[in-house]
Amino acid sequence: MSIKSAMSDFKRLKLNLVKPVPSDYEISRNQTPKHITEVAQESGILSNELEQYGSHKAKVKLDVLDRLHNVKNGKYILVTGITPTPLGEGKSTTTVGLAQAIGAQLGRKCFANVRQPSMGPTFGVKGGAAGGGFSQVIPMDEFNMHITGDIHAVGMANNLLAAALDTRIFHESTQSDKGLWKRLCPENKDGSRNIPIGLLPRMKKLGLDSKDPKEWTEEEIGKFVRLDVDPKTITWKRVLDLNDRSLRGVTINQAKTEKGLIRETGFDITVASEVMAILALSSSLKDMRERLGKMVVASSKAGEPITCEDLGCAGALTAIMKDAIKPNLMQTLEGTPVFVHAGPFANISIGASSVLADRIALKLAGTPAGLTPEQAKEQEGYVITEAGFDFTMGGERFLNIKCRSSGLAPDVIIIVATVRALKVHGGGADVKAGLPLPLEYTTENLEMLEKGCANLQKHIENARQYGVDVIVAINKMSNDTANEHAIIKKAALEAGAIDAIVSNHWEEGGQGALDLAHGVIKCANNEYPAQKTNPPQKFHYLYETEGLTIESKIEALASKMYGAGSVEFLPEAQAKIKEYTAQGFDNLPICIAKTQYSLSHDAKLKGVPKGFVFPIRDIKASIGAGYLYALAAEIQTIPGLATKCGFMNVEVNDDGEIEGLF
């Protein structure tokens, strides 16, 4: 089936646009979704490549990549944003609305690729991630709760490794090398050893695979069975998919059965687990297996990194994750396809959906070989993928980490801006969830807005450093004025954006994003006059990974992206830099965990702060994911709940339908 014929079979779901706009769950419930098999067929996915999870969700097998390996990729669009308020500025809504405009309104093949939401924020203040208004993924309740269980699989895999590590420490503390050898690898009747398959990689790592275990010396047996974990170096934590501040710091092994091996640790939220980052960055099941094995959980007392492979856990973790690696297929309110896959926490991790979902979508949106340039342009489709929080977080990591891993590069970067957020950066009062907006956000204030546009201009400047053209999407809200939109457009063009386009997708669905859709298509095909007279550079990363120290890469991010004057490495961070450099991990890219509410590390510093000291208090290694992540200031790896939370409004009616989510 050609791309063109597949699109000719597409059935658009009509919207019943209502004003004022109802709640998200009311809009979702009032739409009748297509059966997921129909969405798959329209998208070019074969029936034997689909695994249904009910009527409106399915997993897509990775076999589709083999079938379409000769297809030229479609256009790749990255959606990111300015520094947001706690209310969010509509990146997910823009992603979905744009996909509805290109796919349902213009009839082009188009996929929206988004992360699976954590139920922590869903039940907290932030809410879910399905978009909103008349631009959302449906059914939104299924989207925001469980989907196909991928996050639960990540949590189980993560916690199995944590249990295996603590158990190994316990047994090594109570047994001799001979006792460990006897129990880990019991002797068979013929005198051979029953070595678990999960420990064969450790055998190879130690160079013992060339000898019969019966010939191993006592020293070699000791090296094989004893990891000799230094408890002070353990970095692996347990996780759960919930905001629970009480678990930030806990003490474990207090039962009498644990022989006094008490230690302090804590929990992370599941989406902050390295397992989730690996799910997002893996290119195949085999690649995921290798990455899981490389995860470092601690160091030995001799300073050697201890991995998941050393514990014999990687195969079991892969077994838990074997279905989670398949992207999930859903649909928008207007019936266009959506891939929902992976959900790395955007504060701490890469904050992007999966490489595999993007690759599959790009092939499905692509064009067959042998077409003329004109035919290819007519038939090619679009993949719109979102990066969490603002450009200095999700966008930067998307380009420096995800693109470095996938080998892909975006054709256009969209930066979502709102009048509301820019007024915050212009000196407006704090915006708080659950409270009425202060007067300056509901009335025209051009001076405040103009001052706040410096934040938008900094994000445009940051994005252009990668050699990709930028379009600003002005996410329209009910209190906006035409004068305010004009100020934003003027500031965006002055900063080097190709265009700045007002979009009203929240209120009007895909129809409200048509201007943005036309602009994105035009930009992706280099048809703006500015692109013809001043073509963009070739895509490139902000820094090289080889030949630079850990410190210099962090300093590059802090100065070029955030505007810092210097970086302060606190003692714990200095010790980790020394340790990871000695272990050979200094050639990896960097992910910096920081607040999303400022370009800096301090949420109180609005606008475009400059010359500040950027503190790095700790650095952790995500070797399987392929990066180091540095913690700035007091960033938390598991959120807490507010006084008034979203879960207080959730109920199930007599028909078994979830109400009150948003």
Side-chain angles (χ1 to χ4, degrees):
M1 181 183 291
S2 72
I3 302 295
K4 189 171 183 179
S5 63
M7 283 310 300
S8 65
D9 295 332
F10 174 78
K11 182 181 76 175
R12 180 171 73 89
L13 298 180
K14 294 183 179 180
L15 296 179
N16 179 25
L17 300 177
V18 178
K19 294 183 181 180
V21 176
S23 68
D24 291 352
Y25 79 89
E26 288 177 297
I27 293 172
S28 176
R29 185 171 300 167
N30 288 334
Q31 182 63 289
T32 302
K34 291 183 277 193
H35 197 280
I36 197 62
T37 54
E38 185 177 357
V39 177
Q41 183 179 14
E42 292 173 348
S43 303
I45 299 167
L46 304 181
S47 59
N48 63 354
E49 295 166 342
L50 200 70
E51 296 177 352
Q52 292 183 55
Y53 281 69
S55 301
H56 304 129
K57 307 185 296 291
K59 281 194 167 290
V60 177
K61 297 179 183 179
L62 307 187
D63 300 353
V64 67
L65 287 171
D66 296 327
R67 176 171 64 88
L68 299 177
H69 72 279
N70 286 326
V71 171
K72 181 183 176 183
N73 287 347
K75 296 294 186 182
Y76 197 30
I77 314 300
L78 170 62
V79 177
T80 180
I82 62 170
T83 307
T85 71
L87 303 179
E89 306 318 307
K91 289 191 309 301
S92 299
T93 310
T94 301
T95 299
V96 176
L98 178 59
Q100 291 177 177
I102 294 177
Q105 299 290 329
L106 299 181
R108 306 293 293 263
K109 183 69 73 73
C110 188
F111 295 82
N113 284 14
V114 297
R115 290 177 294 160
Q116 178 178 346
S118 164
M119 283 194 284
T122 293
F123 288 135
V125 172
K126 179 183 177 294
F134 288 100
S135 294
Q136 55 176 302
V137 183
I138 58 170
M140 65 85 72
D141 52 349
E142 295 183 31
F143 176 92
N144 284 304
M145 298 181 70
H146 307 292
I147 306 187
T148 58
D150 293 350
I151 289 181
H152 302 305
V154 170
M156 179 60 74
N158 183 101
N159 293 342
L160 171 60
L161 181 55
L165 175 61
D166 281 306
T167 298
R168 187 59 171 268
I169 293 171
F170 171 83
H171 288 304
E172 287 191 20
S173 72
T174 59
Q175 299 180 55
S176 64
D177 290 355
K178 185 176 181 180
L180 289 167
W181 178 235
K182 177 182 177 180
R183 291 171 178 82
L184 272 175
C185 308
E187 190 174 5
N188 296 317
K189 290 182 179 179
D190 61 0
S192 64
R193 289 283 173 175
N194 183 9
I195 298 177
I197 190 172
L199 292 178
L200 295 181
R202 177 164 175 78
M203 184 192 300
K204 184 175 182 180
K205 173 183 174 180
L206 296 173
L208 298 173
D209 56 326
S210 60
K211 295 173 62 176
D212 190 314
K214 289 186 288 187
E215 300 174 3
W216 290 3
T217 66
E218 288 186 4
E219 182 182 0
E220 289 171 332
I221 290 172
K223 285 184 177 180
F224 180 72
V225 301
R226 191 167 296 278
L227 300 180
D228 202 24
V229 176
D230 181 353
K232 298 190 299 296
T233 67
I234 294 173
T235 56
W236 199 258
K237 295 181 178 181
R238 289 161 174 81
V239 300
L240 79 167
D241 191 35
L242 190 66
N243 292 4
D244 193 343
R245 66 191 318 118
S246 299
L247 295 177
R248 287 172 177 167
V250 300
T251 303
I252 64 171
N253 296 331
Q254 294 192 84
K256 292 180 180 179
T257 55
E258 305 315 298
K259 310 296 185 184
L261 295 173
I262 295 172
R263 70 177 181 90
E264 293 183 355
T265 180
F267 277 70
D268 289 336
I269 194 165
T270 303
V271 290
S273 170
E274 184 179 352
V275 178
M276 180 61 86
I278 286 173
L279 178 63
L281 295 172
S282 294
S283 60
S284 65
L285 184 63
K286 181 181 178 182
D287 181 45
M288 183 174 72
R289 167 64 180 81
E290 292 175 354
R291 287 173 177 269
L292 290 171
K294 291 178 182 177
M295 294 189 300
V296 173
V297 297
S299 294
S300 70
K301 291 172 184 174
E304 294 294 322
I306 295 171
T307 66
C308 176
E309 206 78 89
D310 290 322
L311 286 159
C313 253
L317 267 62
T318 307
I320 294 170
M321 296 291 295
K322 73 177 183 64
D323 291 321
I325 197 173
K326 304 166 189 172
N328 305 297
L329 182 68
M330 294 187 73
Q331 64 191 287
T332 69
L333 277 167
E334 296 187 53
T336 59
V338 180
F339 277 115
V340 185
H341 201 215
F345 198 23
N347 287 82
I348 294 144
S349 190
I350 60 169
S353 61
S354 77
V355 166
L356 280 168
D358 287 359
R359 283 183 169 170
I360 291 173
L362 285 166
K363 291 300 181 186
L364 292 168
T367 50
L371 298 181
T372 65
E374 292 76 17
Q375 290 172 324
K377 180 182 174 183
E378 179 187 353
Q379 295 187 28
E380 70 185 355
Y382 292 77
V383 176
I384 305 161
T385 190
E386 177 194 348
F389 291 138
D390 68 2
F391 182 83
T392 64
M393 298 183 73
E396 178 271 312
R397 296 165 194 172
F398 181 96
L399 299 171
N400 282 317
I401 297 177
K402 183 179 177 181
C403 288
R404 205 186 297 262
S405 179
S406 69
L408 301 170
D411 294 288
V412 180
I413 295 174
I414 297 174
I415 296 179
V416 178
T418 62
V419 171
R420 177 181 66 198
L422 291 173
K423 285 182 176 179
V424 169
H425 295 294
D430 287 345
V431 171
K432 297 181 179 180
L435 296 179
L437 287 172
L439 182 63
E440 58 262 40
Y441 301 110
T442 58
T443 57
E444 187 175 86
N445 190 324
L446 303 183
E447 183 179 353
M448 181 180 289
L449 176 64
E450 191 167 10
K451 182 180 177 182
C453 280
N455 183 271
L456 169 62
Q457 292 180 314
K458 174 59 176 169
H459 285 293
I460 295 170
E461 173 195 321
N462 284 350
R464 294 185 70 223
Q465 291 186 61
Y466 296 85
V468 182
D469 281 330
V470 174
I471 282 187
V472 172
I474 304 171
N475 184 20
K476 183 180 179 182
M477 296 186 177
S478 58
N479 293 312
D480 295 358
T481 69
N483 289 334
E484 290 173 328
H485 292 160
I487 283 177
I488 295 174
K489 180 166 185 173
K490 180 175 181 291
L493 296 178
E494 287 175 352
I498 293 297
D499 204 348
I501 303 170
V502 178
S503 188
N504 193 23
H505 42 273
W506 181 80
E507 196 171 47
E508 298 177 356
Q511 183 180 344
L514 276 172
D515 288 345
L516 179 61
H518 286 299
V520 168
I521 292 172
K522 191 175 173 183
C523 185
N525 289 284
N526 298 310
E527 294 175 348
Y528 274 92
Q531 292 176 296
K532 295 177 179 179
T533 58
N534 186 25
Q537 311 167 46
K538 184 179 179 181
F539 170 73
H540 55 273
Y541 307 118
L542 187 69
Y543 56 84
E544 295 299 322
T545 54
E546 302 286 345
L548 292 178
T549 64
I550 295 171
E551 294 98 327
S552 61
K553 284 179 274 195
I554 292 173
E555 287 165 353
L557 287 169
S559 61
K560 295 179 181 180
M561 291 288 102
Y562 313 151
S566 62
V567 178
E568 178 187 15
F569 295 94
L570 300 178
E572 190 169 358
Q574 293 177 27
K576 291 291 184 62
I577 289 172
K578 184 178 179 181
E579 178 184 355
Y580 294 148
T581 300
Q583 293 174 344
F585 300 146
D586 55 325
N587 62 344
L588 295 173
I590 304 293
C591 174
I592 296 182
K594 73 175 192 70
T595 179
Q596 67 269 37
Y597 297 127
S598 172
L599 286 163
S600 73
H601 62 286
D602 185 349
K604 296 177 183 178
L605 298 179
K606 304 299 183 185
V608 187
K610 295 180 180 179
F612 53 89
V613 177
F614 191 76
I616 299 294
R617 65 175 173 87
D618 196 7
I619 299 175
K620 297 188 178 182
S622 294
I623 305 305
Y627 58 81
L628 302 178
Y629 81 85
L631 281 75
E634 295 301 318
I635 189 70
Q636 297 293 342
T637 54
I638 182 168
L641 291 171
T643 304
K644 181 182 178 183
C645 297
F647 67 78
M648 296 176 180
N649 295 316
V650 177
E651 191 52 84
V652 178
N653 65 24
D654 292 341
D655 295 324
E657 298 171 324
I658 298 172
E659 295 182 341
L661 275 174
F662 313 101

